[in-house]
Amino acid sequence: QQQVKQSPQSLIVQKGGISIINCAYENTAFDYFPWYQQFPGKGPALLIAIRPDVSEKKEGRFTISFNKSAKQFSLHIMDSQPGDSATYFCAAPGGYQKVTFGTGTKLQVIP
Amino acid sequence: SQTIHQWPATLVQPVGSPLSLECTVEGTSNPNLYWYRQAAGRGLQLLFYSVGIGQISSEVPQNLSASRPQDRQFILSSKKLLLSDSGFYLCAWSNRGNSGSPLHFGNGTRLTVT
């Protein structure tokens, strides 16, 4: 089964700073790498995703960077805001569209 | 537009009692369906997934079972709950046959077994 290692487990960032979360995966056969955002008491929601034929994808303040040779992808949140405080999960698809999630990063953005 | 409904939102059950959580999806056909469990402050553990009616794959040996009696209905059950079954249960769907399809989650059921 696909293993996904996510770090750090928790992160505290000042408002306006950059939040960086990293993920490493094992299997190179897959073609879709999403990040999900989860607020307390809610289900996760897709935030941004990348395909490995590009090295970077940017949507507003959120950027995914993908390093295929290192089997790593990361989420960068620029100009972090208190409203970004949530738990973030990376994920990697498996057979039959099974998705394995990273262990999650709890982000707290302080004013 | 597609929507996913999951109920109840919270549930408190005694040890040894049965469980039935239901999830339905609207606005799409032939979805893949999933049950995940999230322990407090922990990651998402895939429990079951289904690619069609009556087709259930179990990821983790446990006290739970799942059924898919209709194309857009997914049910999570237990005959006798254990304390360790407490957690946040999430149902999700994705488009079938598309490796680039994201998961769409419901708002979960918070289960406390006492």
Side-chain angles (χ1 to χ4, degrees):
Chain A
Q1 182 175 336
Q2 176 80 285
Q3 296 293 321
V4 180
K5 296 182 179 180
Q6 183 174 344
S7 63
Q9 186 174 4
S10 63
L11 184 61
I12 300 175
V13 174
Q14 291 273 0
K15 178 182 175 181
I18 302 174
S19 304
I20 302 174
I21 306 171
N22 300 298
C23 267
Y25 63 97
E26 295 180 345
N27 196 315
T28 58
F30 304 110
D31 61 358
Y32 176 73
F33 295 90
W35 284 92
Y36 290 82
Q37 180 187 55
Q38 184 182 28
F39 293 104
K42 301 293 185 182
L46 178 69
L47 180 64
I48 187 172
I50 196 169
R51 296 195 181 275
D53 54 348
V54 297
S55 60
E56 186 175 283
K57 181 176 181 180
K58 184 177 181 179
E59 291 185 358
R61 296 184 293 108
F62 301 91
T63 300
I64 296 181
S65 296
F66 186 80
N67 186 331
K68 190 173 183 177
S69 61
K71 300 182 188 179
Q72 294 177 346
F73 59 113
S74 61
L75 175 69
H76 295 235
I77 306 174
M78 312 299 289
D79 187 26
S80 299
Q81 299 296 312
D84 298 330
S85 297
T87 301
Y88 293 82
F89 294 95
C90 60
Y96 292 103
Q97 294 184 249
K98 287 190 305 180
V99 178
T100 299
F101 285 85
T103 50
T105 297
K106 187 173 183 179
L107 171 65
Q108 183 181 0
V109 181
I110 55 177
Chain B
S1 61
Q2 303 94 349
T3 55
I4 179 169
H5 302 280
Q6 203 181 328
W7 66 92
T10 59
L11 190 60
V12 180
Q13 292 283 98
V15 169
S17 64
L19 173 74
S20 180
L21 302 181
E22 188 165 343
C23 171
T24 59
V25 180
E26 297 178 356
T28 188
S29 297
N30 304 316
N32 289 328
L33 295 173
Y34 307 82
W35 279 110
Y36 281 87
R37 177 169 61 197
Q38 186 174 30
R42 304 287 295 276
L44 295 156
Q45 180 187 32
L46 178 62
L47 301 177
F48 301 94
Y49 68 95
S50 171
V51 297
I53 296 174
Q55 300 178 59
I56 309 295
S57 295
S58 174
E59 287 298 297
V60 181
Q62 59 211 329
N63 185 42
L64 303 169
S65 62
S67 62
R68 184 171 178 172
Q70 300 181 44
D71 180 50
R72 291 171 290 176
Q73 183 184 29
F74 207 22
I75 298 172
L76 182 69
S77 303
S78 174
K79 292 182 179 179
K80 289 185 179 181
L81 284 169
L82 305 172
L83 286 174
S84 58
D85 291 324
S86 293
F88 191 44
Y89 289 83
L90 290 156
C91 180
W93 71 271
S94 70
N95 288 319
R96 190 182 303 177
N98 183 347
S99 64
S101 176
L103 290 176
H104 304 274
F105 286 88
N107 279 327
T109 295
R110 177 77 58 190
L111 172 66
T112 303
V113 182
T114 60

